[in-house]
Amino acid sequence: MISQWYPPEPVHIPENVARGLVERGHRVRVVTGFPNYPTGRLYPGYRQRWRDTTVIGGVPVRRVPGYPSHDRNGLRRAASYLAYAATSAVAAVDHLRGADVLYVYLTPATVFAAPALLRALHGTPAVVHVQDIWPEAVTGSAMVPGGPAGRIVSGTLHAAMRAIYRLASSIAVITPAMRDVVVSRGADPSRVHVVLNWADEQLFRPVAATPSARARIGRRDRCTIMYAGTMGPFQNIEDAVRAAAAARDDVDLVLVGSGLGEAAARELSGRIGADNVRFVGRRQMSEMAELYAAADYQLVTLRDLPVFRGVIPSKLPAALSCGSPVLVAAPGDSAALVEDHAAGLACPPGDWRSLAGCFRRAAALSSAERAGMGRRALDCYRSLMSQRAGLDRLAGLLVAAAR
């Protein structure tokens, strides 16, 4: 396995895949970095060094040094990606020697350096699990300059992605829309498979609402909508604040988490008098299922950018796995999934007035209607997005590639 991120970082898919494959009788080895996501600072208790291998859950995990960074500065972020690409490629030649097949958690796309080297040296096949669409994941952010330099970066990344799609034995993508994009960019349709991401099921599961969880989010006796997760430049938190202010007679909005966009959201909330918006900061992941249960709805919101039309944010499977009804203001497959299974309500992204209307419609539903949405949310998760279903498909792709 090649993955720049691995627990104790809050990225559960790679570890779930590793442990799930071991439980199915396979032998797994991992090359990853030293934990620094999402802060960009090395976790306490870790010191970067070249030879660092520990066994976690029966899986040998080799950590390689890098350049920790996760801020808006494009050069520092690029240095972080490229440093892992270089050190993982060197380590993989030794640590992954003799591997039958590679599982590649493809975010960022630069992690494919090691699989490319092992393919060139030994013909080792690779199954890539695409988590976001490059180059848009980079060029759609502030990390890439405009003008000729930006066009050069975009062209280079497009060429790199075409090469990755060509070299991969199989490509797993996380949404139907992402499959269409990958195929349109040259991937063989017969090698592209939709495998929806699942939630961390040890943390996100249906639980009963407790008085302590209600107190932690400041629950009042009226409709409570919760946003839980990163408040960054893409999450459009300011639109959620504006919508909540417009629907202040009907709903409370609780924001759990932090990020680069939190300060602007707090300033906006104070400036427009959104006294029904509460910021409760980051909470432990172990608390989240109870907090979800204490709210009436979970909010999924993203900016209306092409890069997000093939993305299902991780907070959506987390909410569905808890049996929480969902309000979606995001482009692409997220809204379709919720609407098709009557697991919540959706509205166009990037329109806070429409979102305010969605808040009002949600508040007007009866407790029985909300409970029905919650049951359908959990049914949707179990049938389409569960860890067991995803692991079965990925294991099949890996075995086929190895053969």
Side-chain angles (χ1 to χ4, degrees), residues 73-227:
N73 184 282
L75 290 177
R76 287 194 292 270
R77 188 77 69 88
S80 173
Y81 294 165
L82 293 173
Y84 176 76
T87 56
S88 65
V90 174
V93 172
D94 173 46
H95 187 65
L96 302 183
R97 185 188 306 275
D100 297 300
V101 62
L102 301 177
Y103 167 85
V104 186
Y105 188 70
L106 200 71
T107 182
T110 44
V111 302
F112 200 77
L117 179 61
L118 290 176
R119 179 183 171 91
L121 293 176
H122 307 298
T124 311
V127 173
V128 299
H129 197 178
V130 181
Q131 297 295 309
D132 42 26
I133 293 294
W134 278 53
E136 287 85 350
V138 174
T139 57
S141 72
M143 292 189 295
V144 175
R151 289 192 291 273
I152 291 172
V153 171
S154 178
T156 301
L157 293 176
H158 268 294
M161 293 310 301
R162 287 194 295 270
I164 290 173
Y165 299 150
R166 185 177 68 252
L167 293 172
S169 297
S170 288
I171 303 167
V173 295
I174 59 174
T175 68
M178 185 180 285
R179 181 187 188 279
D180 295 340
V181 172
V182 170
V183 169
S184 73
R185 295 181 179 179
D188 181 345
S190 67
R191 293 189 291 113
V192 185
H193 310 269
V194 177
V195 181
L196 299 177
N197 276 350
W198 55 90
D200 186 337
E201 295 174 4
Q202 293 184 336
L203 298 172
F204 296 97
R205 64 203 185 283
V207 299
T210 62
S212 61
R214 289 173 177 267
R216 271 174 277 166
I217 67 171
R219 174 69 193 243
R220 304 171 188 171
D221 189 21
R222 66 184 201 151
C223 180
T224 300
I225 299 165
M226 177 187 293
Y227 173 89

